[in-house]
Amino acid sequence: MVTDEHNKNLKAIPTMEELRTVVFLMNPNSAAGPDGMNGQLINRDKSNFMVPSNAFNSTVRRIKKVTGFKQKNSPITYLGCPLYIGRQRIIYYSELIAKVVARIAGWQAKLISYEGRVTLIKHVIQALPIHLLSASSPSATTIKQI
């Protein structure tokens, strides 16, 4: 049971000595917390950064030096979502459009009624990662192409 004295100690601001003790006793390979789970390390080979085209070369070099990451040009895809700098372009969604077309291409349009095609298209779109459409807000033109 937490007593008034315990509660008072829990609410108190830690002293510099207490902070120093906690920081220097932490395992550098462990997450900060009582669970003892190892911390996650960043895989520098899989990590990249993007900068606008007008960024200074000195800034790019500094980012590379500090992070150890490679520079990639816009756009890149992360979890199926295009990440880009600047204005949105239809080409960034070409992978999504290609997925829809590939799934629908095999259907024999002559043998399926209009309503049947609409139902199949709805199911194909629902099977695709909807988070892409909600997270990235594609343009109306992209939606029309889909």
Side-chain angles (χ1 to χ4, degrees):
M1 181 163 92
V2 177
T3 65
D4 287 339
E5 185 65 27
H6 288 128
N7 200 27
K8 182 181 172 187
N9 288 337
L10 288 171
K11 287 181 179 181
I13 296 173
T15 65
M16 286 304 286
E17 187 57 38
E18 289 172 324
L19 289 173
R20 186 175 292 115
T21 301
V22 169
V23 168
F24 287 110
L25 288 178
M26 268 197 284
N27 179 347
N29 296 321
S30 174
D35 57 8
M37 299 292 289
N38 287 340
Q40 295 293 315
L41 298 177
I42 295 171
N43 185 337
R44 285 174 170 37
D45 293 331
K46 294 182 178 180
S47 300
N48 305 293
F49 70 95
M50 294 186 306
V51 294
S53 58
N54 61 351
F56 293 116
N57 287 334
S58 60
T59 302
V60 173
R61 283 193 304 272
R62 192 174 318 132
I63 293 170
K64 284 180 182 178
K65 182 179 178 182
V66 170
T67 64
F69 299 166
K70 291 175 268 185
Q71 180 182 2
K72 280 217 172 171
N73 293 327
S74 177
I76 61 173
T77 303
Y78 178 72
L79 297 177
C81 295
L83 303 177
Y84 51 88
I85 296 173
R87 201 169 59 86
Q88 185 179 38
R89 299 176 190 265
I90 296 170
I91 192 78
Y92 298 164
Y93 295 92
S94 60
E95 286 183 36
L96 175 65
I97 294 167
K99 280 183 183 178
V100 173
V101 169
R103 295 234 179 127
I104 294 173
W107 301 341
Q108 297 295 325
K110 296 177 185 175
L111 302 176
I112 301 174
S113 68
Y114 176 79
E115 292 81 12
R117 287 195 304 266
V118 168
T119 302
L120 284 172
I121 290 169
K122 284 181 181 178
H123 285 284
V124 166
I125 291 174
Q126 286 176 352
L128 293 173
I130 298 301
H131 73 275
L132 170 64
L133 298 175
S134 62
S136 61
S137 302
S139 67
T141 306
T142 302
I143 299 296
K144 284 179 186 177
Q145 284 188 353
I146 291 172

